[in-house]
Structure formats: structure tokens, C-alpha cells
Amino acid sequence: MRLFVAVQLSPDVKRALTQLQNRLREAGVSARYVDPDNLHLTLAFIGEWPDDITPLLPRPEAPFSITLTHIGVFKRANVLWAGIAPSRELFDLAARVRTRLTAAGIPFDAGAFTPHITLARKPILPGGALPQIEIPPVGMTVDSVCLYWSHRIKDKLVYTVIGRSGICQEDDT
Ligand code: ATP
Ligand code: MG
């Protein structure tokens, strides 16, 4: 299974991001836009791994909020993204996910964590520059992380949530 660990986005955040995608389209940015169902915030990309690793997923120390900030592009990966306001709690959460994966001997992409939500791939920017689009300061509360299975159904890329942290831990306390 192709796996990754990510924060599932709230309906409000997804709505704001979908509106943002529409404004980018209107501003003339042609790209392969991410299906709204597939929007997520990756914490660790694992790739091929045979087992369900849900029991390893940490919960945040306490629920915390994240807020969208600005849009940007990663030139090398050729993606256009929405950024998250700097958050110590979010970095801590990603670090805890990665520490647990390491301890369990599960390989993952150990590149620096740069919190972003991919909105579009292979963007072609009008005039070579990102349009000036404000993001509404929409946010959400993070109280768990999810295990996603990346697969294809009839050529369509689908990310399916197959596990979520904390349900049992919460009941145990
Ligand atoms: P495709 O690879 O078909 O273009 P995709 O990149 O959306 O589609 P996956 O490659 O399965 O699908 O990636 C799932 C998620 O993990 C995406 O958020 C992607 O950006 C991220 N991801 C993929 N590869 C890596 C990697 N090597 N390091 C960090 N994150 C990655
Ligand atoms: Mg990929």
C-alpha cells in the first residue's frame, strides 16, 4: 500500500481552499487542480508499506488550531500550495509522527517538514507570477492525525483515510 500520514481538513477549510482554487482558475492559472476530496496536510510520506500502522499514530498533546496564510509555489516539485501559519504544535506533531515511524523501523521521506496543502500541480502562471490573491484567515482545530492510502480507482487518484489516531487512547484515559 502507498501510505502517508496527514491532517484531515475540516469542511470549512476545504471550502475556503476550493474557493481559492476557483479564484486561481479565474486569474488564469492553468494546472492540474487537486480534487477537493483529496486536499490534506501531509505530515510524513511513507510510500509502499505492507501493514496498517494506525496504532502508531500519535495524538497532539492537546487540540490546537491551524490557520491558512498565503499561497506559494515549490518550483522543483512544480506545485502550487496554501501555507499554514507557523505553529509550534504542528511541528511537534509532525516530529512525533516521524519519531514513532523511526522507532518502528518504518521508512519515510525524512525531508524537512514544510507545512503546506497542495492545491494544484504543474501550474502555468500568467506572466510567470503568482496572482495576488488573499486567503481568508480560515482555520480549524487539530485533534488527531490520519493514515491515508493513496491509490487509483479507474485512473482517478483517491486518498482514502484508513485510520485515525487517538480513538482508543482517548477512551483509555
Ligand atoms: P501523483 O504522484 O500521482 O502525481 P500525488 O503526489 O498526489 O499524485 P502521492 O505521490 O501518493 O500522490 O502522494 C501523496 C501525498 O504525499 C501528497 O501530499 C504528496 O505531495 C506527498 N508526497 C508524495 N511523495 C512525497 C515525498 N517523496 N516526500 C514528501 N511528500 C510526498
Ligand atoms: Mg506523488
Side-chain angles (χ1 to χ4, degrees):
M1 293 183 287
R2 188 174 174 89
L3 300 178
F4 63 97
V5 179
V7 173
Q8 188 172 38
L9 302 176
S10 72
D12 278 355
V13 168
K14 281 197 177 180
R15 208 170 301 123
L17 293 172
T18 309
Q19 283 167 5
L20 192 55
Q21 288 177 321
N22 287 335
R23 279 194 277 156
L24 286 161
R25 284 192 186 94
E26 286 159 16
V29 177
S30 56
R32 191 150 62 80
Y33 283 90
V34 174
D35 188 299
D37 289 340
N38 279 353
L39 294 166
H40 63 273
L41 170 56
T42 303
L43 300 177
F45 179 78
I46 297 167
E48 279 303 319
W49 188 255
D51 308 318
D52 178 3
I53 57 147
T54 303
L56 290 177
L57 299 179
R59 264 180 96 81
E61 303 278 346
F64 64 93
S65 32
I66 53 172
T67 311
L68 301 175
T69 49
H70 61 292
I71 53 174
V73 287
F74 290 146
K75 289 227 168 72
R76 207 154 52 103
N78 209 3
V79 299
L80 195 163
W81 44 261
I84 309 293
S87 157
R88 142 95 39 199
E89 292 96 332
L90 184 61
F91 276 88
D92 284 352
L93 186 59
R96 286 178 63 216
V97 169
R98 291 164 177 231
T99 301
R100 288 191 180 192
L101 293 174
T102 303
I106 297 167
F108 60 93
D109 188 308
F113 173 56
T114 48
H116 67 279
I117 300 163
T118 298
L119 298 176
R121 298 176 191 284
K122 300 188 179 167
I124 298 169
L125 307 176
L130 263 181
Q132 298 288 324
I133 296 178
E134 291 284 307
I135 299 194
V138 174
M140 59 173 276
T141 301
V142 178
D143 63 4
S144 61
V145 303
C146 289
L147 181 64
Y148 282 79
W149 172 35
S150 169
H151 57 121
R152 284 180 190 276
I153 299 177
K154 292 189 182 157
D155 279 351
K156 189 180 180 324
L157 184 65
V158 180
Y159 304 141
T160 304
V161 173
I162 59 173
R164 178 186 296 275
S165 63
I167 310 301
C168 298
Q169 285 102 313
E170 190 170 59
D171 291 344
D172 285 345
T173 52

